[in-house]
Amino acid sequence: MNDSRDVASALARQQEKADAYVRIENITKMFGGFTAVDNVSLEIQQSEIFCLLGGSGCGKSTLLRMLAGFETPTSGRIFIDGIDMAGIPPYRRPTNMMFQSYALFPHMSVERNVAFGLRQDGITVAEISERVANMLDLVKLTPFAKRKPHQLSGGQRQRVALARSLVKQPKLLLLDEPLGALDKKLREETQFELVNIQDQLGVTFIVVTHDQEEAMTLSSRIGIMNAGEIVMTGTPNEIYEYPSTRFVADFIGSVNIFSGRIIEDEADHVRIESEEAGCPLHIDHGVSAAPGASVWVAVRPEKIEIGREDPGQTDNCVSGTVDEIAYKGSQSVYHVRLDSEKIVRVTRSNRQRTARDSISWEDRVFLNWRSSSGVVLTS
Ligand code: ATP
């Protein structure tokens, strides 16, 4: 029984491997003695929007540049559509790269900018005009076809750059901080447009960004990078709700992390003693850690209830004093100081114009959360 299950899962894994559109195998890139990308392995499926997310200098652009062929890996292999990319120059890869600076030609009109790459490829004039017209239509720039880049807004210039990268019909588009030059509001609008365009064309996108909200909005999956390594891959929901380490939990969104020791470990729950929290922590999933082991519990601020009444529960219930309140319009953020001096962050959405039980500075409050709200982290 077990044998046949093992064979089935091995076959499934093999199938997954065969299907991956981009397969990165143990890629390392050294610059002199410095390791910029450290033994990264990754599989990306066709038509995915995969975001590489990480802080400055973590190696995301270097990884993207190796996919494009602008950098040569020190070791490891890259396969695109089953073909080993070793020794294949950028112009012969099924990829195109869109840079943050856009690099539009200032003296050329929008349509000539978009047509530029096709002219270089020796495509007929009739086909060029048809493909450029279709692409301008897709990015909603037809009325601006005759303008020069300096006569466009930042968002429109971004769409010209996108049209120019897509007109050559790459199978894989590599985007390095594609929305980096736009202000916050325009970025948010453009994120949706980018997803719609990708959805219509079905091209695989690999996007480099340091903006976590952008990664969450755009991606089918995210790879979190730190110091040259991929530390977790998953859907935006998996990364946010089930982070694998304290680094990932802390990197995405804001989080409260309580340190503690395991006192009860069953298949369906664990209980953790935490001096920092000042109450036992109960979590509705088991972990594979030894009894007494040091662990951490991550609880997101929006999953914590705050109130002046004692809810009368022993586990996952702490009390403290309100230290700070930040009113942010759609929500309020409370910083509550526990007896252990730990500050816990709680967010509450402002559904009513005036809150019935408004909480003020220096108020004594109770915080509680469900067993399903915490995640146990072992590293
Ligand atoms: P950012 O978000 O700031 O662009 P990044 O994650 O894209 O950062 P990379 O550009 O991939 O980072 O750089 C990773 C590391 O490799 C950095 O420490 C950088 O200084 C170093 N590096 C990149 N290119 C070179 C190079 N040609 N020579 C030497 N070091 C380099």
Side-chain angles (χ1 to χ4, degrees):
M1 178 72 181
N2 273 346
D3 278 358
S4 62
R5 213 182 293 150
D6 286 352
V7 170
S9 70
L11 280 174
R13 275 201 305 276
Q14 250 179 25
Q15 181 65 30
E16 208 173 274
K17 232 176 164 167
D19 286 345
Y21 185 66
V22 177
R23 185 144 50 89
I24 297 171
E25 282 184 1
N26 308 103
I27 282 287
T28 291
K29 177 69 187 177
M30 314 265 308
F31 292 110
F34 176 76
T35 309
V37 172
D38 193 359
N39 198 25
V40 165
S41 294
L42 203 56
E43 291 189 353
I44 297 166
Q45 308 303 319
Q46 198 149 26
S47 303
E48 267 204 88
I49 301 188
F50 189 93
C51 276
L52 287 167
L53 175 66
S56 183
C58 70
K60 8 183 232 307
S61 298
T62 304
L63 185 55
L64 203 70
R65 290 171 61 78
M66 286 192 279
L67 285 162
F70 298 133
E71 296 284 0
T72 310
T74 306
S75 60
R77 298 197 302 173
I78 293 173
F79 294 85
I80 300 179
D81 207 5
I83 298 167
D84 191 342
M85 290 291 120
I88 300 188
Y91 60 88
R92 289 196 42 227
R93 297 189 180 203
T95 56
N96 208 345
M97 188 145 168
M98 187 181 134
F99 298 94
Q100 180 177 354
S101 61
Y102 308 153
L104 301 177
F105 297 111
H107 58 287
M108 286 187 195
S109 66
V110 166
E111 63 185 359
R112 287 194 61 213
N113 259 287
V114 176
F116 184 78
L118 298 178
R119 290 221 175 86
Q120 302 282 88
D121 285 353
I123 295 171
T124 65
V125 175
E127 194 185 335
I128 291 178
S129 350
E130 191 188 333
R131 274 165 68 173
V132 169
N134 286 344
M135 206 40 73
L136 291 181
D137 188 39
L138 184 76
V139 298
K140 302 196 191 81
L141 282 178
T142 309
F144 305 94
K146 304 286 178 214
R147 289 205 194 168
K148 301 268 170 64
H150 74 271
Q151 297 168 314
L152 300 174
S153 71
Q156 289 161 346
R157 277 200 288 273
Q158 189 274 343
R159 283 184 277 147
V160 179
L162 184 64
R164 194 180 54 179
S165 333
L166 287 169
V167 79
K168 292 185 82 172
Q169 301 171 341
K171 299 233 173 66
L172 176 62
L173 186 62
L174 306 167
L175 304 103
D176 197 351
E177 301 277 359
L179 311 178
L182 308 182
D183 65 39
K184 192 172 183 314
K185 196 141 198 266
L186 194 53
R187 261 177 109 107
E188 283 169 6
E189 286 166 23
T190 315
Q191 283 162 12
F192 289 114
E193 280 176 14
L194 203 57
V195 173
N196 286 339
I197 291 169
Q198 190 273 347
D199 193 42
Q200 286 179 55
L201 296 178
V203 177
T204 308
F205 276 19
I206 302 182
V207 183
V208 155
T209 180
H210 65 272
D211 180 331
Q212 41 160 299
E213 269 180 43
E214 186 164 301
M216 300 287 276
T217 312
L218 290 178
S219 330
S220 50
R221 283 188 309 141
I222 298 173
I224 308 266
M225 285 192 80
N226 183 33
E229 294 181 59
I230 298 262
V231 290
M232 182 175 180
T233 53
T235 62
N237 179 268
E238 284 164 349
I239 299 245
Y240 188 79
E241 300 292 351
Y242 308 99
S244 56
T245 62
R246 279 179 292 158
F247 175 84
V248 176
D250 206 28
F251 188 76
I252 293 278
S254 82
V255 72
N256 299 292
I257 295 184
F258 300 102
S259 60
R261 276 175 199 288
I262 295 194
I263 47 176
E264 219 176 292
D265 187 6
E266 302 293 333
D268 62 346
H269 76 271
V270 280
R271 273 184 101 218
I272 288 161
E273 172 184 70
S274 169
E275 265 182 42
E276 213 174 27
C279 75
L281 305 175
H282 187 281
I283 297 97
D284 72 353
H285 64 86
V287 283
S288 39
S294 288
V295 291
W296 294 266
V297 176
V299 190
R300 298 282 182 197
E302 71 278 10
K303 297 197 167 55
I304 300 179
E305 298 285 343
I306 180 169
R308 280 184 296 197
E309 300 291 314
D310 184 349
Q313 76 189 57
T314 48
D315 291 4
N316 303 343
C317 182
V318 296
S319 65
T321 309
V322 177
D323 233 24
E324 311 248 12
I325 304 175
Y327 175 73
K328 297 197 160 185
S330 65
Q331 61 173 27
S332 293
V333 181
Y334 300 86
H335 285 186
V336 176
R337 185 181 295 275
L338 306 185
D339 296 338
S340 65
E341 292 294 310
K342 182 171 179 72
I343 303 285
V344 177
R345 190 181 159 97
V346 182
T347 50
R348 190 152 82 152
S349 61
N350 295 323
R351 293 207 202 108
Q352 314 285 343
R353 282 230 171 88
T354 48
R356 274 171 292 125
D357 56 342
S358 65
I359 290 168
S360 309
W361 283 266
E362 303 298 329
D363 274 357
R364 188 79 189 160
V365 289
F366 293 87
L367 310 180
N368 69 97
W369 59 92
R370 296 171 183 209
S371 299
S372 56
S373 299
V375 180
V376 184
L377 305 169
T378 53
S379 59

